[in-house]
Amino acid sequence: MSVPQGVLYGMCNPLLDISAVVPKELIEKYEAPLGGAILAEEKHMPIYEEIVKNYPVKYIPGGATQNVMRVFQWMNQASYPTAVFVGCVGNDEFGKIMKENVTKDGLQVIYRIDEETPTGTCAVLVNNNERALIANLGAANKYKHDHFLSEEVQKALNNAQFYYISGFFLTVSPESVLAVAEHALQNNKVFSFNLSALFIINFFNEVLMKVIPYTDYLFGNEDEAKEFAKTLKLDTTDVGEIAAKVSLLEKKNDKRKRYVVFTQGPDDVCIGYDGKCTKIPVKKIPKEQIVDTNGAGDSFVGGFLSFLVQGKPVEECVKAGIYSSSTIIQYEGCTYPEKPDLSQI
């Protein structure tokens, strides 16, 4: 089945990943969580210069939702953009590099250009195949709701049938997130969302809980699932149970029930639906084949959504997600071979 042009609309923080393999001491020095993500504070600012100066680095287009869109496009192998991504970059070299690369990947991007702030970057600190992320949002933090209301963005919004936003965008433009969610509700389209990070669940909980009722597909990893369960006082740390219970939270669109999809690294993917949980096993990748896990969660969602827009059953969507993420962890950052091998799914 051919996937329609612009069927998926995504919105978040476009960041240029600066990726380097570093010693564990450096990660500890900057108090970055292995396997997690934090926003850069003043004390983290020297990290960017430090890794560029002391280690071989790679510049890779990043930002959680932009990664999802790139993998979605790669899985579809269409000659036209099947996904549209909206965000904010600076008027600088990094912004130009990013637009060039993602356009080459087949995405349509509608960037707001901020004249005063540099393009956002993310230090990707890789150690022993795991990664810690320190994001300096820069211009990504300057996204304005006025841009969302522009004719070009509204046209992309109306044309799409599926929507995906990561929790990270709640720190920038919650107004735009809720507007996309409301549009999906009013038009009976599919809205998906990602918990994204522990700090989103803890420090942006109020607005997160406004978005959850709109969410048809909720994604997260096991740490986020457990943290979310704590804030909901669910009294369990079993990821499958949490997925089942979260599927029953208040939902505005009663035409379809919510799916909750929680990944657990190399362990089973838990699918919560209608108060029950099913589990899908993950294909094990030998440790020596894993290059780094940066982009693993995003690429899972990209693969999942590439099958979802084709109307495939959720179990198949999960298997597509497992394929795309297990492929991408064998490459540096969120990069991939020229073509996916869909026979592996």
Side-chain angles (χ1 to χ4, degrees):
M1 170 190 170
S2 69
V3 175
Q5 185 162 340
V7 69
L8 177 64
Y9 173 102
M11 204 172 191
C12 198
N13 305 326
L15 304 173
L16 192 66
D17 283 354
I18 305 173
S19 179
V21 176
V22 301
K24 199 165 186 193
E25 294 71 40
L26 186 74
I27 295 173
E28 286 165 354
K29 173 184 165 185
Y30 284 99
E31 297 169 1
L34 259 184
I38 55 171
L39 289 181
E41 298 168 36
E42 203 55 51
K43 65 181 179 185
H44 299 111
M45 289 309 173
I47 184 68
Y48 304 96
E49 198 178 320
E50 192 170 336
I51 59 172
V52 169
K53 205 161 84 183
N54 298 324
Y55 305 96
V57 299
K58 282 201 173 168
Y59 295 99
I60 302 166
T65 300
Q66 191 165 246
N67 284 342
V68 170
M69 303 286 133
R70 287 172 58 235
V71 173
F72 176 84
Q73 178 71 23
W74 171 70
M75 287 286 283
N76 290 327
Q77 285 293 297
S79 58
Y80 50 85
T82 55
V84 181
F85 175 76
V86 177
C88 185
V89 298
N91 188 8
D92 55 18
E93 200 51 36
F94 279 175
K96 289 188 187 83
I97 289 171
M98 189 144 58
K99 183 162 188 176
E100 233 167 71
N101 283 336
V102 294
T103 306
K104 214 184 287 171
D105 288 338
L107 267 196
Q108 180 190 347
V109 292
I110 309 173
Y111 289 152
R112 175 182 180 268
I113 309 291
D114 190 272
E115 297 294 338
E116 287 151 28
T117 319
T119 295
T121 50
C122 183
V124 179
L125 310 175
V126 179
N127 178 270
N128 195 23
N129 310 127
E130 269 285 11
R131 91 305 183 255
L133 307 177
I134 305 178
N136 178 18
L137 295 184
N141 207 25
K142 303 285 182 175
Y143 189 80
K144 301 281 185 271
H145 192 61
D146 290 359
H147 181 262
F148 172 75
L149 298 173
S150 68
E151 193 180 332
E152 190 180 12
V153 174
Q154 289 297 306
K155 186 179 171 190
L157 181 82
N158 287 313
N159 181 52
Q161 299 299 314
F162 293 78
Y163 304 87
Y164 175 80
I165 302 179
S166 88
F168 293 120
F169 207 50
L170 293 181
T171 73
V172 175
S173 186
E175 190 182 2
S176 302
V177 177
L178 287 163
V180 172
E182 186 62 37
H183 169 85
L185 172 66
Q186 295 304 332
N187 295 278
N188 193 26
K189 296 175 178 181
V190 177
F191 181 76
S192 45
F193 190 75
N194 201 314
L195 294 173
S196 296
L198 304 187
F199 79 88
I200 300 294
I201 296 161
N202 288 316
F203 301 115
F204 294 86
N205 191 266
E206 194 182 329
V207 67
L208 172 63
M209 293 315 293
K210 287 181 184 167
V211 175
I212 295 295
Y214 289 97
T215 306
D216 296 305
Y217 290 83
L218 179 68
F219 297 94
N221 66 25
E222 74 270 39
D223 294 336
E224 293 149 9
K226 289 172 189 174
E227 199 66 27
F228 194 40
K230 268 191 229 167
T231 66
L232 295 169
K233 300 185 170 50
L234 292 186
D235 200 28
T236 178
T237 56
D238 180 283
V239 175
E241 263 184 65
I242 297 166
K245 289 181 174 180
V246 170
S247 73
L248 296 175
L249 292 177
E250 181 209 342
K251 191 166 188 299
K252 288 181 182 281
N253 185 347
D254 57 9
K255 295 186 178 72
R256 64 175 82 86
K257 291 176 179 173
R258 175 185 296 116
Y259 280 97
V260 178
V261 184
F262 289 146
T263 57
Q264 305 185 90
D267 298 326
D268 294 356
V269 175
C270 298
I271 308 167
Y273 181 74
D274 199 18
K276 297 179 186 68
C277 171
T278 51
K279 295 184 178 183
I280 307 271
V282 170
K283 177 187 165 196
K284 299 285 185 281
I285 303 294
K287 195 165 174 19
E288 61 275 11
Q289 287 179 28
I290 299 172
V291 175
D292 77 53
T293 55
N294 183 31
D298 301 331
S299 51
F300 172 86
V301 177
F304 182 103
L305 294 175
S306 73
F307 270 37
L308 185 69
V309 302
Q310 297 178 56
K312 299 202 172 166
V314 161
E315 287 74 11
E316 279 188 49
C317 298
V318 168
K319 286 174 185 169
I322 291 168
Y323 164 74
S324 53
S325 76
S326 61
T327 301
I328 280 155
I329 61 174
Q330 297 177 64
Y331 290 78
E332 198 168 344
C334 193
T335 58
Y336 30 74
E338 191 186 344
K339 288 188 172 173
D341 179 2
L342 300 182
S343 69
Q344 298 283 319
I345 296 170

